Amino acid sequence: MAAPAVEATAATALRSVALRARKAAERVGRDPERVRVVAVSKTKPVSLIRQIYDAGHRCFGENYVQEFIDKAPQLPEDIEWHFVGHLQSNKAKTLLAGVPNLAMVHGVDGEKVANHLDRAVSSLGRHPLKVLVQVNTSGEASKSGVEPSSVVELARHVNMHCPNLVFSGLMTIGMPDYTSTPDNFRTLTSCRAEVCKALGMSEDQFELSMGMSGDFEQAIEMGSTNVRVGSTIFGPRDYSKKST
Ligand SMILES: *Cc1c(COP(=O)(O)O)cnc(C)c1O
């Protein structure tokens, strides 16, 4: 039977990613416990997520609101869910209402979506939600995120005007071909220094979400505390059946 073999492979792949993440942290003298592996399960079936869950992993990420709110209720409540990537303001409340165990949003890229999330948390009576500001470190027009020069302003907005959000750090997406990945990651770490200084925050507690399947070890070596790994764990994605 082919299907169970694929699922066994996913659990094995997760273990291998976790080990590689730990080794990358150790190579640069970082505490491996400070690195979270967010298993990005977008387009993947609940049954496959369940396999990884049963192997002991609890931290998962999704990227499409509708898919997310369809899948989350079918899975255990002790999953720590992360929303990764661009979120449309008008879907903030749908997301919050549909995923009670949402732990963090990686990708607040403007005041509008921050305000919508803030109001949604308040109106649903939920605990304050951790958010990361997305930075466009590659300068590509197709990428979401604020320019590095606007990061402090948005971080300050979240801190001062969104009482139901907890500004927790920064997130970025590298280049698809990884050519300038070290530059992207360096830009994010210098934004961290700027924000910490401006807001009086400590770098020790600050979250950096950088690194995906192809560059997560490098990201950890450069200080990442959240790596968002999809295809290396779950296999390549098939978008042919998706509308969004
Ligand atoms: C899909 C996605 C990932 C995972 O990408 P892989 O290359 O499959 O590891 C990470 N971050 C975001 C924002 C994504 O949308």
Side-chain angles (χ1 to χ4, degrees):
M1 284 203 320
V6 169
E7 288 165 357
T9 304
T12 307
L14 182 270
R15 271 193 289 277
S16 151
V17 166
L19 184 65
R20 285 167 62 192
R22 174 167 283 270
K23 289 203 166 136
E26 284 167 355
R27 272 200 293 280
V28 292
R30 295 187 54 210
D31 177 5
E33 300 300 316
R34 271 289 283 147
V35 180
R36 182 185 285 124
V37 175
V38 181
V40 179
S41 47
K42 65 183 185 219
T43 78
K44 299 299 176 181
V46 164
S47 59
L48 195 53
I49 301 172
R50 184 75 212 207
Q51 288 283 320
I52 313 261
Y53 175 91
D54 288 342
H57 198 68
R58 291 292 177 271
C59 180
F60 293 87
E62 288 280 339
N63 174 240
Y64 302 101
V65 172
Q66 189 55 50
E67 178 188 347
F68 199 173
I69 66 174
D70 288 345
K71 283 154 75 175
Q74 302 177 54
L75 284 154
E77 280 172 21
D78 67 338
I79 286 183
E80 178 189 312
W81 283 114
H82 293 244
F83 182 87
V84 302
H86 176 69
L87 173 65
Q88 283 175 264
S89 309
N90 62 4
K91 296 201 175 144
K93 191 160 183 188
T94 309
L95 172 66
L96 262 293
V99 188
N101 41 336
L102 184 69
M104 196 186 276
V105 171
H106 303 222
V108 164
D109 56 5
E111 292 190 2
K112 190 174 171 194
V113 69
N115 295 343
H116 276 73
L117 278 170
D118 184 59
R119 281 199 294 272
V121 174
S122 165
S123 71
L124 293 164
R126 297 269 281 276
H127 292 301
L129 175 69
K130 290 182 181 173
V131 300
L132 308 180
V133 163
Q134 182 171 354
V135 187
N136 184 342
T137 54
S138 63
E140 293 165 285
S142 61
K143 288 261 168 72
S144 307
V146 295
E147 296 297 313
S149 60
S150 307
V151 174
V152 167
E153 197 186 334
L154 181 55
R156 193 173 268 138
H157 173 84
V158 174
N159 236 4
M160 309 224 326
H161 301 290
C162 302
N164 303 290
L165 302 183
V166 182
F167 170 72
S168 303
L170 304 175
M171 173 269 200
T172 199
I173 301 177
M175 295 286 271
D177 58 358
Y178 308 119
T179 47
S180 65
T181 290
D183 292 337
N184 299 147
F185 294 169
R186 259 190 293 278
T187 301
L188 201 68
T189 52
S190 59
C191 289
R192 171 180 60 185
E194 246 186 281
V195 170
C196 284
K197 189 157 175 260
L199 273 61
M201 293 174 73
S202 152
E203 289 196 8
D204 296 343
Q205 304 303 319
F206 203 89
E207 302 276 358
L208 283 186
S209 172
M210 58 185 197
M212 309 187 0
S213 281
D215 54 13
F216 71 92
E217 289 158 295
Q218 199 170 13
I220 292 167
E221 289 174 12
M222 294 179 71
S224 182
T225 62
N226 293 264
V227 290
R228 311 177 308 267
V229 183
S231 42
T232 294
I233 297 171
F234 293 101
R237 287 179 290 273
D238 177 6
Y239 287 101
S240 60
K241 294 191 268 331
K242 267 202 98 63
S243 54
T244 46

